[in-house]
Every structure is written in C-alpha cells, then in structure tokens.
Amino acid sequence: MIVKYTFGNPFPTDAVIAPVNEGENQTVFSLRREKDGILFERALQADEIVYGLGETMRGINKRGGRYVSFNTDDMHHREDMPSLYGSHNFILFDGERKIGAFFDTPACVTFSIDFEKSGKAEIFCEGGNLNLYLIESESAYGVAREFLSVIGRSFLPPLWAFGFGQSRWGYKTQKDIQRVVRGYEKAGIPLDYVCLDIDYMDRFIDFTVNKKRFPDLKSFSAAMKEKGVRLVPIIDAGVKIEPGDPTYDEGVEKGYFCVNEEGKPFAAAVWPGMTHFPDFLQPQVREWFGNKYAILTDQGIDGFWNDMNEPSIFHSEYTPRSQKYPANEKYRERDYKRFFHTVDGKKIRHYDVHNLYGYLMTRAAGEQLQRNIDHRYLLFTRSSYIGSHRYGGIWTGDNASCWEHLRQNMLQMPSLNLCGILYAGADTGGFGGNATRELLLRWLALSAFTPLMRNHCMIGMRRQECYRFSRAEDFKTIVGFRYRILPYLYSEFMKAALTNDMLFKPLSFLFPDDERARGIEDQLLVGDSLMMTPVLEKGKKKRTVYLPEDMTMVRYNREGFSCSQAQKGETTITVNLNEIVFFIRKGKLVPVGNGGKNTAEIDLNEVALLGDGKIYEQYLDDGLTKDCTLKNVRVLKK
Ligand code: MIG
C-alpha cells in the first residue's frame, strides 16, 4: 500500500504519476518542525538494512553515512562524498517492517542514516515543503516493485544503445573520430557509437557544429552509420550569450531564461564563457529547447548526452571568477539563491527547486525527441531526479581511474534501479586519471553487464581507447562478450522496463532469509537468471563467491562459453584478465548469441540457451520500434 502525506506547500515535481491515496497522520516517522525545515526520525533495528538513495556513495546498505540531496558537480568522488550529480530521495527500510519512503521535494534533503552512532534514520527536509510517499509491503522487493509502479516506466533506448561506445573529452575533428573507428576496426573490437564532446561545437554554442572540424556532419554521420557506428553529441545546459545565435536571441526575446534579482537573464560562466540558463521549469521553454535537438537529428543524429545541468557554474555575475573549477560550495550556494524561475507568473528561487534542473532538461529533450523522430533515441544525462528516468538514462559523472570507483560503479546499480533509473553506467576505465590495462579490462568486464557501456576519459589523461593497450585480442574478447550476452541483457532490460522491475537486484531481494546473502554487496543479480561476480581488486585473479543455491557456473573466454555445476555455499573462482565468470540461477536459462562487430550484426533470433532451466521468455524486436510491449516476448524451450 502506498499513501501520500503532504507537508507545507510542495512544488510539483511530476515524479509520481500514478494516482495515490492521501493520508493524514503518518506514524512511520516522528516529526520535528524546525525553523528552516522538518526533521523526520525513525529508530533502526540493529540488523536493519537501509537501501536506496540512487546515485550516492558508500554502498548498497546506506547505514553509517550522511547523504545530501543537492545536485553537485564535483569530480572528487570520495567514499564520504555527501552529494553527487543526481538526487533520488527514495529509501527502503528492510527490518521487521518493510517500509519505503520517498521524500518528494526539489529542495535540499539530508539523510543521516545511523550516522554518528545515532541508531536512527534522520531525514531533514529544508523548507519543509514536500510530499512524503510511504509504502509498506511483505518484502523489501515488494516495496520496490510498488514504488516503481507509481513513478512511471523507464525510457526505452534503442538496441544500439546497448552496444559499446567510445568517448573522450578531447576528440576535436572528424579525423579524430575516424581514427578511433579505424582503431577499433583494425583491432576487431566491436563498437556501436562514438561520443562527441564539447569540441564539436562552434565555441561551445549549443546546437551548432564547428564547420572546420566537421564540414558536413550530415554526410559524415551517414557514412559512419553505414559502418554501424553512431555519433552521440553532448549538449550543455548553458546557452552562450552570443547575439546572432538563434538559441540565444529567441531565448532573450521570449523570456525563456532564468532571471536575476533585477528580472534580467541571469549570467553565469561555463565552457562557452558567459551563458544564460534555459528556464526548464516552464513547459513552453522545455518544448522550445527540446525542439532544438532536431537541428542535429536532421543531420542523422539519434543519440545525445546532457551535461553541466546541475547546473554547474564556474562563476557568475554575482560571484568572483573562481580560482578553481568548479566553483566552491559557498559561491555556488550564493549563485543558486540569486537566480529565479518563472512559473505561472510567479518567481521561484532556484535554490528551492535546485534538484529539478537536470531532470527537466532531460524531459525537454526526451519529450521532443519522442515526438520528432519515428524510432527510439539514446539520451543520458548527468544530473537527474526521480522522474527523469522516463525520458533518458544517466551516466554517473566524473569518476577516476581507480579500483574504488570500479567497485562504486557496481554498488550504485541496484540503488539507481530502485529509483527507476534502469539505463545507467559509469565512465568505464575512469574519467580522471590514467587507467592501467588491468583496470580497464576488469572495468569492461563489469560494464559488460550495465546497460550503458561507454569508455570515457578526460582531456590530458592517457589515451584510453581499448586498442591503445597491448594485446588488443583480450579487449576483443571482453567487449565481444557483451555482444554475445546481448540477447539476454536486452531482453531482461526491456522486460524490467515494461513491468516496472529492477534489472540489478541485491541478493537479499531474492534470498531474504539467507543471512549471508543479505550482507553481500559485490555480487548482484542481473535480470531473472544471472548473478554477476566480477573481480574488483588489483592484482587478483581469484575471488570468493557465495552461492545461495546450486547454480551453473559459466566461464567465457576466447574459446567461448563453458558451463559447470557449482554447489550452494562458498566457492573460489579464478578469473584471468581475458575472462568473465558468472553464474546462472537454478532452473533458469540465459540466451547467448553469436556476437558481431556491432549491434546491427546481432541476430536476436539466433541464440543458444545456457543453464539448467526449461524455458526462457525472450523479449525481442527490431531494436528501433516504439511499439514495445510484452507481446514481443517469445517462449524458448530447452
Ligand atoms: O567541466 O565536456 O562530466 O563527461 O567530458 C567538464 C567535458 C565538462 C563534464 C562531463 C564529462 C565531459 C566534460 N564535462
């Protein structure tokens, strides 16, 4: 059962779209009204697990930490980092009672979960204006399913978005892109898309293309598509102040930008220099900005990533040119308090609705892409809120080439799925820093299971394309694995999306009575049949795996798949750098295909079934149709 409780005068977020009954007096939390907000408190049992909070650090069980929902661009993803790029205020208490709580407010929320030995969950909602949704069910998984059913279906990416993508901040010209594509071709490593970072634009002006670097994007993108490779350009939130540029001119003329204290467009510096921020809280602004993407879709583009949409600010008309990027917290907060949105003629202080900005930029793009093109599109955003999953996926921002962030990538997946975000992935290999061959191979072996599988890297770092490393055949094997498991991954993703389910589940969701399984964070269930058990440590070829039931162990290497029986309990596996080992649950099947050098070569109809199950329900379609329903499921028998 889900019930909604309203406090104060909350700003509508459209996060929950199904009708929900309203209640009057909730008893789950005790409540303390303070001067600047409301504190919700609840005692935790000793062994209670607390799940949720989407894109946050630290792990699947959120106990022991403090998390601040306030979308932030900061690349130093330390383990105790309170805020990242998205805010996903859903938590799930798995104690004697199974309770889900969604604190639906675009303002700052602080979750202290058994922080400083409090033995309590303390949630402070700044401003005190919110809708609190409470769900109670028999099981943690049941609570999750109920929450997912009220926030709406995940965005459905095309099949090619499940291929492997290469990206780098620093690719400048058409030649750079061609070189990358050739590198992959020569090494025989599959590739489906290459991302264009900010340098494809003319002076970082949104919806422009630098003519010297890309003289004819339309024919270039067509030629690439011919080879099975798509181009995926970045779009930044800030619109350069550039008289003569249509986006700028129209935005000023129609009053489509956020305004400062004097009611003039607010000016803040980002990559293009001084910019204005589109006021995505206004529906007509969303429609206008979203339709701008057609400038690129008309040139054959059907995938985008939305960046800098926290929004990130270097400095503004109110704050001094910062020495450091991004602007430090003090200045950022000052800026966020000094610009405004206009909703139904009323001025709304940005600070109070801060966490909606990236979500509504994604909604702007997604709604119009949906209307303007006759097939599915790829879209992923850096900043998000619950609800943005209906329009696009996310990537988890500027991580680094370190083992801790590889682990973090894995731990974030079920938490994101719990908040509706199914299409997600991290910068494989790490954004900042220099990846080693070993780290990149292990990371690819993990990303092979995440819907977004993209190698991305920061300007100035070592070249991180797979073919730049020695013995490229190992990369061919690991990336090639993704293309062979794709019939399963695609099918499980689409079924999860169509039935409001999770793709990545903690073991505890399916084995709630197994004490050992409840504590495991470095193994995950992926879809209904598979358990992933990646190697996450440097220099290790062996790792321990816990099997909550008898399973089929599957090893993949250049020879292909080999299966063996594995017994319930603890086992040690050896996984070489050019191998992947995973498990199939008892009585289940995993369809695998023949692979290919891109998704266009994949035949979803031709699969072999691994595992000891009897039937598998495979979702399949042409990868582009918008007509996605469960009628596209066929039953395979073994
Ligand atoms: O301030 O566009 O997270 O993926 O490569 C950096 C350049 C701006 C941040 C994104 C990153 C991207 C980079 N961007």
Side-chain angles (χ1 to χ4, degrees):
M1 249 270 278
I2 175 160
V3 183
K4 169 180 169 179
Y5 302 88
T6 300
F7 300 86
N9 185 18
F11 187 86
T13 65
D14 296 345
V16 171
I17 53 171
V20 170
N21 289 333
E22 303 203 14
E24 259 163 34
N25 295 306
Q26 61 82 30
T27 53
V28 168
F29 296 97
S30 64
L31 224 131
R32 216 164 69 211
R33 286 178 200 272
E34 298 185 357
K35 184 165 92 281
D36 50 350
I38 303 178
L39 181 69
F40 295 85
E41 286 186 307
R42 177 165 194 272
L44 297 171
Q45 291 156 236
D47 58 352
E48 186 159 349
I49 300 179
V50 182
Y51 299 101
L53 299 183
E55 187 183 20
T56 48
M57 297 300 287
R58 199 176 270 101
I60 294 175
N61 188 347
K62 308 317 289 188
R63 281 184 83 138
R66 175 183 284 168
Y67 313 87
V68 179
S69 286
F70 196 74
N71 296 348
T72 298
D73 172 16
D74 182 343
M75 69 182 296
H76 303 285
H77 301 183
R78 300 179 321 268
E79 204 192 26
D80 68 342
M81 179 92 158
S83 307
L84 291 166
Y85 311 86
S87 291
H88 312 120
N89 301 334
F90 177 64
I91 55 173
L92 201 174
F93 300 98
D94 184 4
E96 226 157 83
R97 288 171 71 186
K98 323 289 177 194
I99 294 172
F102 175 37
F103 295 83
D104 188 14
T105 162
C108 183
V109 182
T110 301
F111 294 85
S112 304
I113 311 294
D114 195 12
F115 188 59
E116 297 177 318
K117 295 194 194 153
S118 70
K120 283 191 239 164
E122 299 158 291
I123 297 119
F124 184 69
C125 295
E126 240 182 83
N129 299 305
L130 69 145
N131 286 313
L132 170 63
Y133 294 87
L134 292 175
I135 303 172
E136 184 148 14
S137 184
E138 301 278 282
S139 65
Y141 191 22
V143 172
R145 294 298 301 269
E146 191 155 351
F147 180 60
L148 292 171
S149 74
V150 298
I151 57 173
R153 192 183 83 182
S154 158
F155 135 88
L156 302 172
L159 177 65
W160 65 265
F162 293 84
F164 174 64
Q166 178 63 51
S167 184
R168 178 182 178 84
W169 177 14
Y171 296 154
K172 285 203 161 62
T173 62
Q174 184 166 311
K175 279 223 172 69
D176 291 342
I177 307 299
Q178 281 162 329
R179 204 170 298 137
V180 170
V181 173
R182 215 173 312 123
Y184 274 94
E185 258 168 18
K186 269 200 180 149
I189 303 170
L191 182 71
D192 259 85
Y193 59 96
V194 179
C195 291
L196 305 182
D197 208 319
I198 48 175
D199 294 298
Y200 81 89
M201 290 182 260
D202 173 21
R203 290 169 296 142
F204 310 131
I205 302 174
D206 275 345
F207 311 114
T208 67
V209 177
N210 183 315
K211 286 275 172 261
K212 280 214 187 89
R213 295 173 177 175
F214 293 87
D216 182 356
L217 183 65
K218 192 170 185 174
S219 52
F220 182 55
S221 72
M224 284 288 132
K225 219 179 253 187
E226 221 20 50
K227 285 175 175 290
V229 178
R230 257 90 171 177
L231 304 177
V232 179
I234 196 169
I235 305 289
D236 279 6
V239 171
K240 183 174 171 60
I241 299 181
E242 177 73 18
D245 168 57
T247 313
Y248 169 79
D249 287 345
E250 290 160 24
V252 171
E253 190 196 304
K254 301 200 166 121
Y256 282 172
F257 295 125
C258 294
V259 294
N260 63 17
E261 291 169 328
E262 284 94 63
K264 303 245 168 58
F266 168 72
V270 205
W271 292 110
M274 285 313 241
T275 68
H276 294 324
F277 293 134
D279 186 355
F280 293 119
L281 269 62
Q282 302 182 36
Q284 68 273 28
V285 175
R286 290 203 292 272
E287 192 179 329
W288 164 73
F289 195 86
N291 275 317
K292 294 281 175 200
Y293 287 69
I295 294 171
L296 289 152
T297 55
D298 286 349
Q299 301 179 66
I301 302 293
D302 36 28
F304 298 91
W305 44 315
N306 283 347
D307 192 21
M308 307 303 273
N309 50 4
E310 291 70 30
S312 186
I313 293 178
F314 297 175
H315 64 91
S316 81
E317 56 181 295
Y318 293 121
T319 46
R321 216 167 203 296
S322 66
Q323 298 304 307
K324 263 210 214 137
Y325 160 70
N328 75 39
E329 249 163 75
K330 186 176 78 194
Y331 289 136
R332 223 177 27 221
E333 194 171 311
R334 207 186 288 173
D335 280 331
Y336 292 151
K337 286 185 170 161
R338 295 181 78 171
F339 76 85
F340 301 84
H341 301 271
T342 313
V343 178
D344 298 330
K346 279 217 309 260
K347 293 270 166 286
I348 311 254
R349 192 165 70 142
H350 174 77
Y351 180 83
D352 300 328
V353 291
H354 174 67
N355 293 335
L356 288 182
Y357 197 76
Y359 157 31
L360 294 179
M361 178 187 184
T362 307
R363 180 169 174 181
E367 279 179 341
Q368 300 314 316
L369 286 167
Q370 178 89 28
R371 267 196 12 181
N372 292 337
I373 53 183
D374 56 8
H375 49 79
R376 273 137 58 196
Y377 58 84
L378 170 60
L379 176 64
F380 54 101
T381 175
R382 194 170 71 178
S383 185
S384 59
Y385 184 82
I386 291 177
S388 61
H389 66 285
R390 301 195 298 267
Y391 309 98
I394 70 153
W395 92 100
T396 55
D398 300 343
N399 63 4
S401 302
C402 65
W403 292 89
E404 201 36 52
H405 289 179
L406 167 64
R407 175 183 294 269
Q408 188 57 38
N409 181 183
M410 171 149 177
L411 299 180
Q412 281 178 338
M413 297 310 293
S415 311
L416 287 167
N417 280 195
L418 256 177
C419 296
I421 300 163
L422 288 185
Y423 189 82
D427 287 353
T428 301
F431 178 70
N434 298 312
T436 61
R437 180 177 190 274
E438 183 192 4
L439 178 65
L440 181 56
L441 277 167
R442 291 302 195 205
W443 210 318
L444 289 163
L446 185 146
S447 299
F449 294 99
T450 65
L452 169 65
M453 182 190 190
R454 179 181 74 141
N455 178 340
H456 181 47
C457 182
M458 185 171 163
I459 194 165
M461 302 301 143
R462 75 165 290 179
R463 300 270 161 184
Q464 200 170 281
E465 298 84 10
C466 297
Y467 58 84
R468 304 258 183 192
F469 294 81
S470 58
R471 293 194 302 287
E473 66 269 20
D474 291 349
F475 291 86
K476 181 176 173 180
T477 305
I478 301 297
V479 180
F481 166 79
R482 163 66 162 230
Y483 285 75
R484 300 209 51 190
I485 197 82
L486 219 138
Y488 175 73
L489 191 65
Y490 182 63
S491 165
E492 292 299 308
F493 179 97
M494 295 298 279
K495 285 191 293 181
L498 295 173
T499 61
N500 301 312
D501 202 347
M502 299 163 76
L503 178 65
F504 292 93
K505 285 171 283 233
L507 266 53
S508 54
F509 273 33
L510 290 192
F511 303 96
D513 302 323
D514 181 331
E515 268 318 306
R516 174 110 191 241
R518 277 174 68 80
I520 287 181
E521 300 208 339
D522 62 355
Q523 306 171 203
L524 289 177
L525 298 161
V526 187
D528 189 45
S529 307
L530 192 152
M531 180 172 78
M532 68 187 279
T533 55
V535 175
L536 302 170
E537 281 176 89
K538 173 178 184 292
K540 290 269 164 68
K541 292 229 160 66
K542 289 187 196 305
R543 64 157 285 173
T544 306
V545 172
Y546 174 70
L547 306 183
E549 62 187 12
D550 293 348
M551 292 191 182
T552 303
M553 175 169 127
V554 184
R555 178 177 301 278
Y556 182 80
N557 55 30
R558 56 200 292 193
E559 255 85 72
F561 292 96
S562 56
C563 296
S564 57
Q565 286 317 302
Q567 305 247 302
K568 175 179 157 106
E570 189 173 301
T571 158
T572 299
I573 57 173
T574 304
V575 190
N576 291 314
L577 273 184
N578 53 7
E579 293 185 309
I580 288 181
V581 171
F582 66 87
F583 293 82
I584 301 177
R585 288 176 56 205
K586 191 176 170 160
K588 303 283 183 184
L589 293 170
V590 169
V592 297
N594 299 322
K597 68 175 193 309
N598 52 50
T599 50
E601 287 193 348
I602 302 257
D603 184 354
L604 294 173
N605 280 292
E606 272 214 23
V607 294
L609 296 168
L610 310 179
D612 67 5
K614 296 247 154 38
I615 65 158
Y616 179 76
E617 296 188 350
Q618 185 191 12
Y619 177 93
L620 72 177
D621 61 17
D622 66 3
L624 288 172
T625 176
K626 291 184 182 180
D627 183 22
C628 305
T629 64
L630 291 175
K631 75 174 170 8
N632 298 343
V633 169
R634 65 169 182 175
V635 177
L636 300 173
K637 296 204 170 85
K638 189 170 174 174

